[in-house]
Amino acid sequence: MVIFVHRPVRAGTMRKGTVMTQRGTGRSGAPVVSFEQVSKVYGHVRAVDGLSLDLRQGETVAFLGPNGAGKSTSLDMLLALRKPTSGRIRVFDADPYAGVKSGRIGAMLQSGGLMTTVTVRELVGLAAKVHPRPLPVDETLKRAGIADIADRRVDKLSGGQTQRVRFALAIVGDSDLIVLDEPTAAMDVESRQMFWANMHAEVAEGRTLLFATHYLEEADQAADRVLVINKGRLLADGTPAEIKQRAGAKRISFRLDAVDEAFLLGLPALVNLEIRRDLIHLQSSDSDRTLYALLDAGYRPHEIEVSSLGLEQAFLAITAEDDKKAAVDEREKETVR
Amino acid sequence: MTGTLTLARLEVLRVLRNKRYLLFTIGLPVVLYLMISRQGSGSTAYHVQFAAYYMVAMASIGAFSGALTGNAQRISQERKDGWIRQLRITALPASGYVTAKIIASMVTSVPSIVVVLALGRFYGDVHLAPWKWIAIALAIWLGSMTFASLAVAIGYRFMPDTVQPITMFVYLGMSVLGGLWFALGGTMQKIGQVLPTYQITRIGTDVISQGTIPMGRVAIILAWLAGFIVLAAWSVRSTVEKI
């Protein structure tokens, strides 16, 4: 059963209420970032497989996918740390290396280490000196919420504090694109909230933000566009609401003694079906229609529950379906052989 | 360039904050010089008085061990920690990190050279014409760049726990066979004279005894320098996707 239609949904290109400034684009209308059929192969593994996407100026985009989906590899290529095996990446209408070295990209990596035996202020000061359009160091310290630990040594900080210092390095200059890989990992709830408050202030200035995350509620709340990636391929592209809807916005559960699988598969608006003996779980993009069709056919299920899917479940549904399809493809290949 | 220089300045500060580094580059040569230089008084080595040979040898060992062991370990650790990766996603030029390391290494080797030469002058009673002091200091100083390049090659290529034994092995081989612990003779000298450490020391002693700069020895050091630079460039390039 085909669950997910591979039709990208274009999200709004601007956050509501943002002041549009003339930043970001190389020539007018050109995307801030574009991936054209980008692949990265390590030996026999296709970490990224024909990935195509465009980011427009002012968007806040979440990059969502399970571990090993190819998020970090994609970000690495965007930041010129790795070269694509094939395909083309453009950043501000130039190659990624030029984008990084011109200071137009501010980035924070999950794996980015920091210099040891220096103070936070010394480190941020260094980053400011390196940037072609730096902000005042005190301003950066304040924005990243690390003014109070400016004189502490970098190697004596807690995980959350270290993460904020990394963030400071990403916003140390006036960059047009901010790329964050799992920015709030290792942060407690309070720091996470503070982090996003600061981040919203950054993007309100018209910057484009791309972030990878494991926290799905974070993508839901912070992003105005979500890219779902699995096995190196783009599975979905849309607003959080659209993603939820595409994956089947509602989950319907009930018990039914005489199960007719073929009939259930034919239900309208059905997105996913799971049968465990008499217990049926299904996902639907229109729960009312699905349920009425079931009842109209004369079925009388009991213990009916209808619940909303969070982005997390939507995301799991999308990737699970993709995994299932891949397994089927694999089996077909085996049969052909 | 300002970014690279700022990084170099910070690197110097870090080295000076590291007590272990100061102990090995300044403390060890100074203590050895105080203990041993007078024991050989009256004897000569490489055609100069023992206190003069030992001064050149100790200044060399401080400069070269600082350039090699400290740098290789740091670079390897910083590669593992992801600091090099972090720098690569900034506007710092691609060569900035290595350039800053070498500049910092050159700056931080100055104190150990100056301190040991001053010790030679005032404790070892070595009297030389001003240009000879300058020539000896420059030979050791520029010679230590050879080992800063080797440190880059090792640091980029190996993980920190492997770097430790490798640098220790190179340090011992280069210092013992290079005649930095004691002057070499016979077979040992025939083996040792291919090494840059030996040649750096002999430039020093030749300047003292003959009053000329032996260009043949300079050429051997330059050959090592060129070789290590190629090795370093290869290490950096071949790990570019593994940073």
Side-chain angles (χ1 to χ4, degrees):
Chain A
M1 179 173 35
V2 177
I3 295 300
F4 201 75
V5 186
H6 289 254
R7 183 162 57 83
V9 182
R10 173 90 312 125
T13 55
M14 242 179 75
R15 292 183 65 82
K16 276 182 222 86
T18 54
V19 181
M20 189 78 163
T21 52
Q22 213 39 50
R23 72 155 76 228
T25 45
R27 54 187 152 77
S28 68
V32 171
V33 172
S34 84
F35 277 53
E36 290 168 31
Q37 288 299 314
V38 174
S39 295
K40 179 70 182 180
V41 181
Y42 299 110
H44 298 292
V45 183
R46 294 187 84 82
V48 175
D49 190 2
L51 187 63
S52 295
L53 56 92
D54 282 344
L55 302 189
R56 305 259 153 206
Q57 192 225 317
E59 282 183 320
T60 295
V61 181
F63 214 24
L64 206 56
N67 279 329
K71 299 187 304 276
S72 288
T73 304
S74 301
L75 295 187
D76 280 0
M77 291 190 288
L78 174 60
L79 297 170
L81 287 169
R82 293 170 200 280
K83 281 201 171 70
T85 310
S86 64
R88 195 168 81 130
I89 301 174
R90 304 289 286 170
V91 185
F92 302 113
D93 224 11
D95 66 284
Y97 184 81
V100 170
K101 295 306 166 191
S102 66
R104 299 192 72 178
I105 308 178
M108 166 176 168
L109 294 171
Q110 213 181 338
S111 51
L114 300 175
M115 199 183 210
T116 54
T117 66
V118 295
T119 65
V120 170
R121 184 187 298 279
E122 285 170 333
L123 186 64
V124 174
L126 167 70
K129 268 280 191 327
V130 166
H131 202 282
R133 293 176 306 281
L135 294 174
V137 172
D138 284 322
E139 175 69 21
T140 303
L141 292 171
K142 214 171 71 194
R143 283 189 182 203
I146 50 173
D148 54 329
I149 54 166
D151 296 316
R152 298 264 300 275
R153 269 184 45 180
V154 168
D155 37 325
K156 302 263 157 77
L157 301 178
S158 74
Q161 290 170 328
T162 305
Q163 196 73 340
R164 275 184 275 159
V165 173
R166 283 203 197 107
F167 175 62
L169 300 187
I171 57 163
V172 75
D174 184 20
S175 303
D176 300 318
L177 168 66
I178 298 179
V179 178
L180 309 170
D181 193 3
E182 308 271 348
T184 57
M187 281 188 191
D188 54 34
V189 177
E190 196 189 343
S191 337
R192 197 172 300 163
Q193 280 167 351
M194 201 182 76
F195 172 85
W196 281 110
N198 294 334
M199 202 60 239
H200 283 135
E202 295 293 324
V203 292
E205 292 170 16
R207 296 195 170 87
T208 308
L209 167 66
L210 174 64
F211 69 99
T213 182
H214 272 124
Y215 299 109
L216 296 132
E217 74 272 20
E218 202 166 76
D220 200 353
Q221 289 161 13
D224 42 31
R225 185 175 160 202
V226 178
L227 303 172
V228 179
I229 176 174
N230 190 35
K231 298 193 167 118
R233 283 177 298 121
L234 188 65
L235 296 189
D237 177 354
T239 63
E242 284 167 332
I243 297 288
K244 279 187 261 185
Q245 182 158 16
R246 296 212 142 233
K250 301 281 183 184
R251 181 182 171 88
I252 308 171
S253 308
F254 51 82
R255 288 186 189 276
L256 194 62
D257 297 326
V259 179
D260 178 356
E261 193 177 340
F263 169 77
L264 290 177
L265 282 171
L267 283 172
L270 183 80
V271 177
N272 196 10
L273 173 68
E274 208 182 303
I275 303 173
R276 287 189 208 138
R277 287 196 214 152
D278 67 329
L279 183 64
I280 321 277
H281 292 296
L282 46 85
Q283 278 167 26
S284 163
S285 54
D286 185 341
S287 56
D288 292 351
R289 220 147 60 86
T290 310
L291 204 53
Y292 293 159
L294 182 72
L295 300 175
D296 290 350
Y299 287 97
R300 283 298 172 265
H302 49 105
E303 293 181 37
I304 302 173
E305 270 179 46
V306 179
S307 54
S308 287
L309 274 178
L311 185 58
E312 172 151 15
Q313 284 144 310
F315 161 76
L316 288 175
I318 292 170
T319 52
E321 189 50 38
D322 182 54
D323 288 343
K324 225 183 287 170
K325 220 174 65 203
V328 171
D329 290 349
E330 198 58 36
R331 241 176 287 141
E332 279 168 4
K333 253 189 259 169
E334 294 284 325
T335 329
V336 172
R337 268 180 233 149
Chain B
M1 201 59 199
T2 45
T4 306
L5 288 178
T6 310
L7 180 58
R9 198 183 61 84
L10 215 49
E11 292 281 10
V12 170
L13 276 178
R14 295 171 73 205
V15 170
L16 297 182
R17 282 172 194 169
N18 182 347
K19 305 216 165 40
R20 200 168 142 253
Y21 179 90
L22 296 178
L23 192 72
F24 273 90
T25 57
I26 302 181
L28 184 71
V30 165
V31 169
L32 283 174
Y33 194 80
L34 291 174
M35 279 166 51
I36 293 172
S37 66
R38 284 190 181 168
Q39 288 181 7
S41 67
S43 66
T44 61
Y46 301 148
H47 317 294
V48 299
Q49 53 165 315
F50 182 80
Y53 150 73
Y54 208 63
M55 171 187 79
V56 175
M58 286 301 109
S60 304
I61 215 167
F64 122 84
S65 72
L68 176 67
T69 51
N71 278 326
Q73 191 68 31
R74 276 256 165 106
I75 291 170
S76 175
Q77 190 65 46
E78 286 168 5
R79 183 163 96 87
K80 192 180 168 210
D81 292 347
W83 170 237
I84 299 183
R85 218 174 132 77
Q86 180 70 45
L87 280 178
R88 273 181 55 188
I89 58 167
T90 67
L92 185 77
S95 60
Y97 175 74
V98 168
T99 309
K101 280 283 178 203
I102 290 179
I103 293 174
S105 176
M106 297 304 287
V107 172
T108 51
S109 65
V110 170
S112 70
I113 296 171
V114 170
V115 166
V116 175
L117 293 190
L119 206 60
R121 168 65 184 78
F122 298 105
Y123 181 81
D125 234 6
V126 178
H127 293 273
L128 300 173
W131 79 266
K132 288 188 177 181
W133 286 113
I134 292 167
I136 293 168
L138 275 179
I140 297 170
W141 190 58
L142 295 173
S144 76
M145 208 201 297
T146 316
F147 293 98
S149 312
L150 178 61
V152 172
I154 295 174
Y156 264 89
R157 164 91 13 213
F158 301 101
M159 282 287 137
D161 42 346
T162 323
V163 165
Q164 187 80 27
I166 290 174
T167 51
M168 195 42 83
F169 182 77
V170 174
Y171 172 77
L172 283 176
M174 285 282 184
S175 58
V176 174
L177 291 176
L180 298 184
W181 296 105
F182 46 86
L184 303 176
T187 317
M188 284 279 275
Q189 190 168 5
K190 286 208 178 80
I191 300 167
Q193 64 193 3
V194 299
L195 298 179
T197 37
Y198 176 87
Q199 296 299 343
I200 291 168
T201 316
R202 289 308 307 268
I203 291 175
T205 56
D206 282 6
V207 163
I208 297 172
S209 65
Q210 299 166 12
T212 57
I213 293 167
M215 294 320 281
R217 301 193 190 284
V218 173
I220 293 175
I221 294 169
L222 288 178
W224 280 94
L225 177 62
F228 286 153
I229 286 174
V230 169
L231 208 59
W234 177 65
S235 275
V236 170
R237 201 155 299 166
S238 65
T239 53
V240 110
E241 292 245 333
K242 295 175 192 146
I243 287 292

Coordinates of all heavy atoms in Angstrom, one line a residue, chain B residues 19 21 37-38 40 49 63 85 102 108 112 132 140 183 189 219 234 237:
Chain B
K19 N 52.0 24.0 31.9 CA 53.2 23.9 32.7 C 54.1 22.7 32.3 O 55.3 22.8 32.4 CB 52.8 23.7 34.2 CG 51.9 24.9 34.7 CD 52.1 25.3 36.1 CE 51.5 26.6 36.3 NZ 50.2 26.8 35.7
Y21 N 54.5 21.6 29.4 CA 55.3 22.0 28.2 C 56.5 22.8 28.6 O 57.6 22.5 28.1 CB 54.4 22.9 27.3 CG 55.1 23.3 26.0 CD1 55.0 22.6 24.9 CD2 55.7 24.6 26.0 CE1 55.7 23.0 23.7 CE2 56.4 25.0 24.8 CZ 56.3 24.2 23.7 OH 56.9 24.6 22.6
S37 N 77.1 20.4 32.4 CA 78.0 21.2 31.6 C 79.4 21.3 32.2 O 80.4 21.3 31.5 CB 77.4 22.6 31.3 OG 77.3 23.3 32.5
R38 N 79.5 21.4 33.6 CA 80.8 21.6 34.2 C 81.6 20.4 34.4 O 82.8 20.4 34.7 CB 80.6 22.4 35.5 CG 80.3 23.8 35.3 CD 80.4 24.6 36.6 NE 80.1 26.0 36.3 CZ 79.8 26.9 37.2 NH1 79.8 26.6 38.5 NH2 79.6 28.2 36.9
G40 N 82.2 18.2 32.3 CA 83.1 17.9 31.1 C 84.1 19.0 30.9 O 84.7 19.1 29.9
Q49 N 84.9 23.6 23.2 CA 84.8 23.2 24.7 C 83.5 22.6 25.0 O 82.5 23.0 24.4 CB 85.1 24.5 25.5 CG 84.2 25.6 25.3 CD 84.2 26.7 26.3 OE1 84.2 26.4 27.5 NE2 84.3 27.9 25.9
A63 N 64.1 23.2 21.9 CA 63.3 23.7 20.8 C 62.7 22.6 20.0 O 61.5 22.6 19.6 CB 64.3 24.5 19.9
R85 N 37.6 20.6 12.7 CA 36.3 20.6 12.0 C 35.6 21.9 12.2 O 35.1 22.5 11.3 CB 35.5 19.4 12.6 CG 34.6 18.7 11.6 CD 34.0 17.5 12.4 NE 32.6 17.5 12.1 CZ 32.1 17.0 11.0 NH1 32.9 16.5 10.1 NH2 30.9 17.0 10.8
I102 N 52.3 26.5 13.3 CA 53.8 26.6 13.1 C 54.3 27.9 13.6 O 55.3 28.0 14.2 CB 54.1 26.4 11.6 CG1 53.8 24.9 11.3 CG2 55.5 26.8 11.2 CD1 54.0 24.4 9.8
T108 N 57.1 30.0 20.5 CA 57.3 29.4 21.9 C 58.6 28.7 22.0 O 59.0 28.3 23.1 CB 56.1 28.4 22.2 OG1 56.0 27.5 21.1 CG2 54.8 29.1 22.4
S112 N 63.1 28.9 25.2 CA 64.0 27.9 25.6 C 65.4 28.1 25.0 O 66.4 27.8 25.6 CB 63.4 26.5 25.2 OG 63.4 26.3 23.8
K132 N 78.0 35.3 16.1 CA 77.9 33.8 16.3 C 76.7 33.4 17.2 O 76.1 32.4 16.9 CB 79.2 33.4 17.0 CG 80.4 33.4 16.0 CD 81.6 32.7 16.6 CE 82.8 32.7 15.7 NZ 84.0 32.0 16.2
I140 N 69.2 27.0 15.3 CA 68.3 26.1 16.1 C 66.9 26.4 15.9 O 66.0 25.6 15.8 CB 68.7 26.3 17.6 CG1 70.2 25.8 17.8 CG2 67.8 25.5 18.5 CD1 70.7 26.1 19.2
A183 N 78.1 13.8 22.8 CA 78.7 13.9 21.4 C 79.0 12.6 20.9 O 79.3 11.6 21.6 CB 79.9 14.8 21.5
Q189 N 78.4 8.2 14.9 CA 78.4 9.5 14.2 C 78.0 9.3 12.7 O 77.3 10.2 12.1 CB 79.8 10.1 14.3 CG 79.8 11.6 13.9 CD 81.1 12.3 14.2 OE1 82.0 11.7 14.8 NE2 81.1 13.6 13.9
A219 N 72.0 22.4 3.9 CA 71.3 21.7 2.9 C 70.6 20.5 3.4 O 69.5 20.2 3.0 CB 72.3 21.4 1.7
W234 N 50.6 15.9 2.7 CA 49.9 14.6 2.3 C 49.0 14.2 3.4 O 47.9 13.8 3.2 CB 51.0 13.6 2.0 CG 50.4 12.2 1.7 CD1 49.7 11.9 0.6 CD2 50.6 11.0 2.5 NE1 49.4 10.5 0.7 CE2 49.9 10.0 1.8 CE3 51.3 10.7 3.7 CZ2 49.9 8.7 2.3 CZ3 51.3 9.5 4.2 CH2 50.6 8.4 3.5
R237 N 46.0 16.4 3.5 CA 45.1 16.2 2.3 C 44.3 14.9 2.4 O 43.2 14.8 2.1 CB 45.9 16.3 1.0 CG 45.0 16.6 -0.2 CD 45.8 17.2 -1.3 NE 46.4 18.5 -0.9 CZ 47.3 19.1 -1.6 NH1 47.8 18.6 -2.7 NH2 47.8 20.3 -1.2

